[in-house]
Amino acid sequence: MFESGAILIYLAEKAGKLLPADPKRRSQAIQWLMFQMGGVGPMMGQANVFYRYFPEKIPAAIERYQKEGRRLFEVLDSHLAHHEYLADEYSIADIATWPWVRIYDWSGISIEGLPHLQAWMARMAEKPACQKGITIPPRKEQPDELIKQAQQMVTR
């Protein structure tokens, strides 16, 4: 078993949780999961690489990925204006998307003017599982050390 989205679907199906049973709602959850897998995750990852980790600053690359990250956040904000969670109920789509969105500032992306996204982020942050997910395992490195480690990975 590989690929985080496939793993999440497998685990949700096995546990009978976090993925709606109703076919339409299940499809919506999987669509939002794929939005994260094909959009939010890759764009935030690239924004991080060029903004924080790449040894030379390439303004066009930084701007491109920050703008695309912001555009994706605007899509989320627009959707969340009418939905409490991405698939109406808390699901693997939220679980996969929130960790990327919560590090918006690390990527240099603003969430100003995105009130529905901000409210969703706050709802997610209140969930005990989300709180546990960002503290386990405990982070030993300081941000500067994390940047150095990541820079070494991208320059191999």
Side-chain angles (χ1 to χ4, degrees):
M1 171 78 48
F2 70 101
E3 288 295 335
S4 57
I7 293 167
L8 284 171
I9 292 169
Y10 171 80
L11 291 173
E13 288 175 342
K14 187 170 177 91
K17 298 177 183 177
L18 303 170
L19 191 58
D22 173 72
K24 182 178 180 184
R25 293 179 65 203
R26 176 187 168 84
S27 173
Q28 290 169 339
I30 292 173
Q31 288 170 54
W32 284 105
L33 177 63
M34 295 302 113
F35 180 79
Q36 187 284 319
M37 298 292 129
V40 176
M43 293 304 106
M44 292 296 287
Q46 292 299 322
N48 290 341
V49 165
F50 287 104
Y51 183 64
R52 292 275 179 186
Y53 309 140
F54 209 68
E56 59 186 275
K57 296 298 177 202
I58 304 171
I62 293 168
E63 181 181 3
R64 186 264 187 269
Y65 291 111
Q66 287 177 336
K67 281 186 174 181
E68 181 60 9
R70 171 65 189 211
R71 186 190 73 77
L72 295 169
F73 287 1
E74 290 170 0
V75 170
L76 289 167
D77 185 70
S78 178
H79 178 73
L80 291 164
H82 308 287
H83 306 273
E84 187 174 10
Y85 294 101
L86 295 176
D88 288 326
E89 63 188 67
Y90 179 62
S91 74
I92 58 175
D94 301 287
I95 293 167
T97 306
W98 181 71
W100 286 108
V101 176
R102 72 176 285 277
I103 62 165
Y104 67 91
D105 56 339
W106 187 254
S107 305
I109 300 172
S110 171
I111 59 168
E112 188 174 320
L114 304 175
H116 311 294
L117 181 67
Q118 291 175 28
W120 170 79
M121 290 171 63
R123 282 192 297 279
M124 292 295 292
E126 291 174 1
K127 295 204 165 284
C130 293
Q131 292 171 10
K132 189 182 276 188
I134 61 174
T135 60
I136 299 174
R139 193 173 264 174
K140 296 175 184 156
E141 300 89 357
Q142 296 300 315
D144 288 344
E145 183 58 30
L146 290 172
I147 291 171
K148 285 179 190 174
Q149 289 173 7
Q151 285 172 337
Q152 290 172 350
M153 286 189 279
V154 299
T155 58
R156 288 185 195 174

